Amino acid sequence: MMFSLGTFAQDEEPNVLRYHLKNGTTYDVTISQLDRLQKVGSMGWNNIFNNGLPNKTILFADVDFVEFVYDSSISKDNNVNRNKDRAKELEYPHLRDGATQLLVIHSTTEYGITYSLEWDCTKKTQRWTCYEFHNGIPDNNVGRVGSWQDDTLIPEPYRTHSSQYSGTSYSRGHMCMSSDRQASAEQNKQTFYISNAHPQYQKHNGGLWNTLENKVNGWGNNSSFRDTLYVVKAGTIEDGQVLETTSSGLVVPKYFYMAVLCVKNHQYKALAFWTEHTNVSITKANWKDYAITVDELEEKTGIDFFCNLPDDIEEQVEESLDTGLWP
């Protein structure tokens, strides 16, 4: 198979890949739909064709050649609030400006990005963690093989340490769960960077929060439900949304939240969760009681979630909540 680059005017750049099939037909897919090509490697073609071409599966062997095309009908500004230079995958919220805000990305050679987080170097805590579920990251059931360690991607003066939890009332609460990253031992160990944790009462961490996490994990590992599931999770760290700062310097969130986006056959849906962080055991929670729209979550947190979606899709999925669409 070969790629062909067309001729474009100076102010144009290709925004469509036109797939020419051996049977003479063509299919156009906007380049913005193909971001996952970078990280799903040899599995990418079938996944991308399934995602990019609704109700149509095209195999690698069916393709004769691919042509880059400029389509003037596709607005250059159909995504005005996207991240401009980096963090362009759909799971990323809008990055906060400022020299004290650090984007940290953990990855493995074999499976790509494990998870990413935004680190506030002033408060020495994360604002959010985000990651994906898709078939390129299999659940190989490697088990819980990691142990808590410093995150060396964060400059030493701005790190937190596992020892800061000693003598407190809080457990180390994973954001990207160990059970969410079971493809390899290396991948699982990365979930134990202390930057991937918030201080949590164990009754919350092992109760209500665990119920919601397991629900999302079930969606993520259900390939019949999703092509890709995009997840953002964290505790609140802004003024007025903190329980305390411990004597060891840990910022303790007053609330915990998730934002979840699902795409299947290029159809999108989203929801969010919002919980109060209390030292009360809630073990028989109904996840639907804690579901809100992503718009509501944005109002509560001031964070722009799923900003890399085209604006029309973003507006539609973030204002909607239909729990009946979620198994």
Side-chain angles (χ1 to χ4, degrees):
M1 189 185 68
M2 83 178 163
F3 283 81
S4 172
L5 184 63
T7 302
F8 309 102
Q10 189 171 5
D11 62 343
E12 297 175 351
E13 60 181 61
N15 53 16
V16 167
L17 290 181
R18 178 162 295 159
Y19 293 91
H20 293 258
L21 306 188
K22 292 176 181 177
N23 64 7
T25 61
T26 62
Y27 287 92
D28 288 355
V29 181
T30 60
I31 290 175
S32 64
Q33 294 172 358
L34 303 182
D35 286 345
R36 288 183 54 219
L37 177 62
Q38 302 174 45
K39 55 188 169 182
V40 297
S42 61
M43 298 183 65
W45 290 100
N46 286 347
N47 286 337
I48 286 167
F49 288 143
N50 281 319
N51 288 345
L53 304 172
N55 303 317
K56 181 70 177 179
T57 299
I58 296 177
L59 301 177
F60 181 86
D62 296 329
V63 180
D64 187 15
F65 70 96
V66 182
E67 178 183 17
F68 290 87
V69 176
Y70 172 71
D71 184 347
S72 60
S73 68
I74 300 176
S75 170
K76 294 183 178 180
D77 296 320
N78 70 338
N79 194 350
V80 296
N81 64 326
R82 69 189 184 279
N83 287 319
K84 303 299 183 187
D85 301 317
R86 53 187 180 152
K88 294 183 178 180
E89 288 84 355
L90 293 185
E91 70 267 27
Y92 285 97
H94 199 276
L95 299 179
R96 187 163 295 206
D97 294 330
T100 62
Q101 310 303 314
L102 181 65
L103 176 63
V104 178
I105 301 174
H106 289 291
S107 63
T108 67
T109 301
E110 188 172 6
Y111 296 109
I113 295 175
T114 304
Y115 64 90
S116 306
L117 60 90
E118 185 173 74
W119 189 257
D120 188 308
C121 292
T122 300
K123 298 183 178 185
K124 296 185 180 181
T125 187
Q126 62 154 283
R127 183 163 283 104
W128 43 256
T129 286
C130 67
Y131 55 100
E132 299 182 7
F133 291 92
H134 56 72
N135 289 344
I137 304 179
D139 182 2
N140 291 329
N141 197 29
V142 299
R144 188 182 178 102
V145 296
S147 59
W148 292 108
Q149 59 184 303
D150 285 6
D151 190 338
T152 55
L153 294 185
I154 298 173
E156 197 280 332
Y158 308 117
R159 296 176 195 165
T160 52
H161 312 283
S162 182
S163 59
Q164 290 175 254
Y165 285 80
S166 298
T168 73
S169 303
Y170 307 107
S171 62
R172 300 161 183 83
H174 280 87
M175 292 298 100
C176 179
M177 289 200 303
S178 168
S179 56
D180 287 345
R181 288 296 181 255
Q182 295 278 316
S184 69
E186 178 188 10
Q187 186 190 68
N188 186 261
K189 287 177 181 178
Q190 290 181 348
T191 69
F192 285 89
Y193 287 120
I194 201 65
S195 58
N196 183 40
H198 274 300
Q200 283 195 67
Y201 290 121
Q202 184 54 34
K203 288 182 178 179
H204 181 270
N205 189 28
L208 172 59
W209 188 247
N210 184 62
T211 297
L212 299 179
E213 285 188 311
N214 286 336
K215 177 59 65 174
V216 173
N217 179 277
W219 294 332
N221 287 314
N222 183 352
S223 60
S224 65
F225 172 66
R226 56 93 190 123
D227 291 328
T228 306
L229 193 78
Y230 305 91
V231 181
V232 189
K233 295 163 63 176
T236 57
I237 65 171
E238 303 303 330
D239 294 344
Q241 294 187 331
V242 171
L243 284 180
E244 67 164 328
T245 300
T246 68
S247 59
S248 60
L250 295 174
V251 176
V252 182
K254 188 175 182 179
Y255 305 97
F256 281 84
Y257 68 83
M258 304 185 208
V260 185
L261 174 70
C262 178
V263 58
K264 179 70 175 179
N265 295 330
H266 207 55
Q267 300 298 310
Y268 296 84
K269 53 180 171 282
L271 55 68
F273 294 119
W274 179 259
T275 74
E276 185 175 1
H277 183 203
T278 67
N279 196 18
V280 176
S281 181
I282 302 174
T283 58
K284 296 183 179 180
N286 185 335
W287 64 270
K288 296 180 181 181
D289 294 338
Y290 299 89
I292 61 175
T293 68
V294 176
D295 276 346
E296 290 176 275
L297 184 61
E298 290 181 336
E299 291 179 8
K300 292 176 180 294
T301 62
I303 298 172
D304 184 1
F305 298 98
F306 308 128
C307 65
N308 294 321
L309 279 171
D311 289 341
D312 56 342
I313 297 176
E314 181 184 2
E315 180 179 354
Q316 177 186 353
V317 300
E318 292 187 352
E319 69 181 10
S320 303
L321 176 62
D322 184 351
T323 58
L325 298 176
W326 299 79

